[in-house]
Amino acid sequence: MTFAGIAFWAFAISTVTFGLMVILARNPVHSVLCLITTFISVAGLFVLMGAEYLAFLLIIVYVGAVAVLFLFVVMMLDVDFAELKSGFADYLPYGVIVGVVLLVNIGLVVAAWQLPTEDQRTQPYLTGAEMTANPEGPNNAEALGMVLYTDYIHYFQIAGMVLLVAMIGAIILTFRERKGIKKQNAGDQVARKREDAVEVVSVQTGKGI
């Protein structure tokens, strides 16, 4: 088995294993960490398929922004998970119905999937000499980057603003004002003068303060 085959099986097993752990883990923090590992494994599969741009996108956007934001919200919000799980039995029939509907839909997709015929398998593919791609030109990531930052730069900036608003919303949701806690004012401390903090008292001998 080649190195690419070993890497494929390693990433594939890791993807399936940690994907199941996302659902089976009881701790929501562990679920998010398993989700991040699943994204990284899928990114490795994209690299093996030659889709390095999708791999970078998965790492930067989903792992670096969305999954970390999920982890931040889950860890910072004071959510009572015991209270959330208390009504699990009441919604179990609805969950079973939704699961059955999803399985039926997946079964219909698999049943309608047609394998290629023998004639289609024997059709010759384009060789390297017949392809019109320029080997000296930009690669996949460079070409997509040039299009993204020229023709679609406004959409890219809008997506960045959406992520910024999501981050600010997460910070606002986790912010809790606590009463009765002394807070420092750095501006007042820096602007304080010696006359405001130090008092010189003239004490007579033998009388004390």
Side-chain angles (χ1 to χ4, degrees):
M1 184 179 292
T2 61
F3 177 77
I6 296 175
F8 169 78
W9 282 108
F11 284 126
I13 294 174
S14 176
T15 301
V16 175
T17 302
F18 286 99
L20 292 175
M21 289 298 296
V22 173
I23 305 173
L24 300 178
R26 296 184 177 181
N27 193 329
V29 177
H30 296 168
S31 297
V32 177
L33 293 176
C34 292
L35 180 64
I36 294 175
T37 308
T38 304
F39 285 154
I40 295 174
S41 302
V42 175
L45 294 175
F46 280 143
V47 171
L48 293 177
M49 291 188 298
E52 64 276 359
Y53 175 76
L54 294 178
F56 296 153
L57 191 67
L58 194 63
I59 295 294
I60 296 173
V61 176
Y62 285 91
V63 176
V66 178
V68 175
L69 184 63
F70 288 165
L71 183 61
F72 176 77
V73 172
V74 168
M75 293 180 64
M76 296 300 294
L77 284 180
D78 189 11
V79 180
D80 190 1
F81 293 100
E83 183 180 356
L84 293 177
K85 295 179 180 179
S86 60
F88 176 76
D90 298 335
Y91 297 99
L92 183 60
Y94 302 101
V96 173
I97 294 174
V98 173
V100 171
V101 172
L102 290 176
L103 288 177
V104 171
N105 292 334
I106 295 174
L108 293 176
V109 172
V110 174
W113 184 25
Q114 296 181 356
L115 295 175
T117 61
E118 189 65 26
D119 296 336
Q120 293 175 345
R121 293 178 182 177
T122 56
Q123 287 181 356
Y125 293 94
L126 295 176
T127 60
E130 296 172 341
M131 293 183 180
T132 57
N134 184 10
E136 298 179 357
N139 55 26
N140 187 20
E142 292 175 351
L144 289 173
M146 288 187 292
V147 174
L148 181 64
Y149 290 104
T150 54
D151 298 338
Y152 299 98
I153 182 62
H154 296 95
Y155 300 101
F156 185 78
Q157 292 177 344
I158 292 173
M161 292 298 297
V162 171
L163 293 176
L164 178 61
V165 171
M167 182 180 66
I168 296 175
I171 295 174
I172 293 175
L173 288 175
T174 56
F175 179 76
R176 296 187 298 270
E177 184 178 358
R178 299 179 181 179
K179 298 181 179 180
I181 298 177
K182 296 182 179 180
K183 297 182 180 179
Q184 296 179 348
N185 192 332
D188 295 341
Q189 291 180 350
V190 173
R192 187 180 61 174
K193 298 180 181 179
R194 183 177 182 274
E195 292 79 7
D196 300 333
V198 179
E199 181 180 359
V200 179
V201 180
S202 179
V203 181
Q204 296 180 3
T205 304
K207 293 188 176 181
I209 299 176

